[in-house]
Amino acid sequence: MRIIIKPDATEVGTWVANYVIDKIKAAGDNTKRPFVLGLPTGSSPISTYKELVSRHKKGEVSFRNVVTFNMDEYVGLPEDHSESYHSFMFDNLFSSIDIPRENINILNGNASNLDKECEDYEKRIQQYGGVDLFLGGIGPDGHIAFNEPGSSLSSRTRVKTLRYDTIVANSRFFGGDLSKVPTKALTVGVGTVMDAREVLIIITGYNKARALREVVEGGISHMWTVSILQMHPKGIIVCDEASTLELRVETVKYFKDIENDTRF
């Protein structure tokens, strides 16, 4: 597992955006095999999305040959609702880049058959040959997407009932009214994410420090679902200094030394 430590969230976003752009350019314009990118919502990727939009507007990258699969969506929330993940993605990325609308895949939380929607999502990913690079963020409890503590580490895309703690935390986006927060969501599974050729997790802020410690220094556990990244052959964590404050000093030094070693 590779750990990249940057001074702050802005520099984290710049590094991740550069990495994504390099991968897109390396894939080229092969329309028979587009670059397949998994994407998250939430606060973690915002600086990355801002940088991607900026670089696109400068003409440095095109998304015409990129296919995206988002991690999750609320159940029962209209797509045009300000807090839907459809709205988040178009507001923060899709409406400002040249990705074809048909290349965008987001789970439909209003589907008449939610189980079938999840099954079909997995099939669509496979039809494209799998995800090349899956970006993700984590919650303070170490969960990825809506795979909250206790989720199976081999889980697939499914309907997930949200924990009360999650509903309370998300109520800030709904005017503090718990009754307005959806109680269920559709989410890719931990196994779905792990199937990607590369997985890159963005972790910023001191409130994620314990989660980063558990993920890097702890064992693999379904109570910290992103800890499974330890088993991925190409897993990367890009984090800021604030999120490393609960790591051992020697752990931080080790990963910084690796990245600073220019001999290889």
Side-chain angles (χ1 to χ4, degrees):
M1 185 165 60
R2 185 180 179 190
I3 313 293
I4 311 295
I5 302 171
K6 293 297 177 182
D8 54 40
T10 299
E11 292 204 30
V12 166
T14 299
W15 194 97
V16 175
N18 284 335
Y19 193 82
V20 172
I21 290 169
D22 286 346
K23 294 292 180 179
I24 292 172
K25 288 183 176 179
D29 296 324
N30 181 6
T31 56
K32 293 183 179 179
R33 180 65 176 90
F35 184 75
V36 184
L37 181 63
L39 296 174
T41 55
S43 59
S44 297
I46 287 179
S47 60
T48 296
Y49 293 160
K50 286 181 178 178
E51 183 68 13
L52 288 174
V53 168
S54 175
R55 299 284 291 279
H56 170 68
K57 289 182 176 178
K58 292 176 182 177
E60 297 178 22
V61 62
S62 171
F63 295 84
R64 288 191 300 271
N65 198 42
V66 174
V67 170
T68 62
F69 284 90
N70 262 81
M71 282 190 160
D72 41 27
E73 179 58 286
Y74 286 118
V75 168
L77 204 64
E79 289 185 5
D80 60 358
H81 190 284
S82 61
E83 297 304 326
S84 77
Y85 292 155
H86 279 75
S87 291
F88 178 95
M89 289 306 305
F90 279 89
D91 290 346
N92 288 282
L93 183 63
F94 294 147
S95 63
S96 300
I97 59 176
D98 62 345
I99 186 170
R101 181 63 182 85
E102 62 270 20
N103 286 12
I104 297 170
N105 295 276
I106 306 177
L107 284 156
N108 179 8
N110 296 288
S112 57
N113 187 329
L114 295 176
D115 289 332
K116 186 176 186 302
E117 171 67 12
C118 294
E119 292 171 5
D120 289 347
Y121 205 68
E122 290 275 345
K123 290 176 182 177
R124 285 203 299 278
I125 291 174
Q126 294 308 312
Q127 286 168 358
Y128 280 104
V131 175
D132 292 302
L133 172 62
F134 223 132
L135 302 185
I138 66 170
D141 58 6
H143 75 265
I144 184 170
F146 275 119
N147 296 288
E148 297 174 321
S151 295
S152 168
L153 298 180
S154 61
S155 56
R156 312 304 303 186
T157 303
R158 66 203 186 286
V159 183
K160 186 74 172 61
T161 299
L162 304 182
R163 296 171 60 204
Y164 179 72
D165 288 352
T166 299
I167 293 171
V168 171
N170 288 354
S171 67
R172 68 188 187 277
F173 302 118
F174 294 85
D177 188 344
L178 294 180
S179 67
K180 293 181 179 179
V181 184
T183 59
K184 292 183 178 181
L186 303 185
T187 181
V188 296
V190 180
T192 311
V193 175
M194 286 292 287
D195 279 351
R197 293 174 183 83
E198 291 187 77
V199 180
L200 190 159
I201 304 298
I202 302 165
I203 304 177
T204 57
Y206 177 69
N207 67 323
K208 308 288 180 69
R210 184 187 175 194
L212 180 60
R213 184 191 72 199
E214 294 290 341
V215 169
V216 175
E217 296 178 344
I220 296 170
S221 169
H222 65 293
M223 298 308 292
W224 301 86
T225 53
V226 82
S227 64
I228 192 64
L229 188 68
Q230 296 176 28
M231 297 296 294
H232 200 284
K234 290 189 177 181
I236 304 173
I237 290 175
V238 188
C239 57
D240 64 358
E241 292 281 359
S243 67
T244 68
L245 292 181
E246 292 196 22
L247 291 176
R248 296 184 181 94
V249 172
E250 58 265 33
T251 299
V252 174
K253 186 176 186 300
Y254 171 77
F255 286 110
K256 283 187 173 181
D257 284 349
I258 290 175
E259 292 304 320
N260 289 332
D261 194 335
T262 58
R263 294 175 298 169
F264 305 103

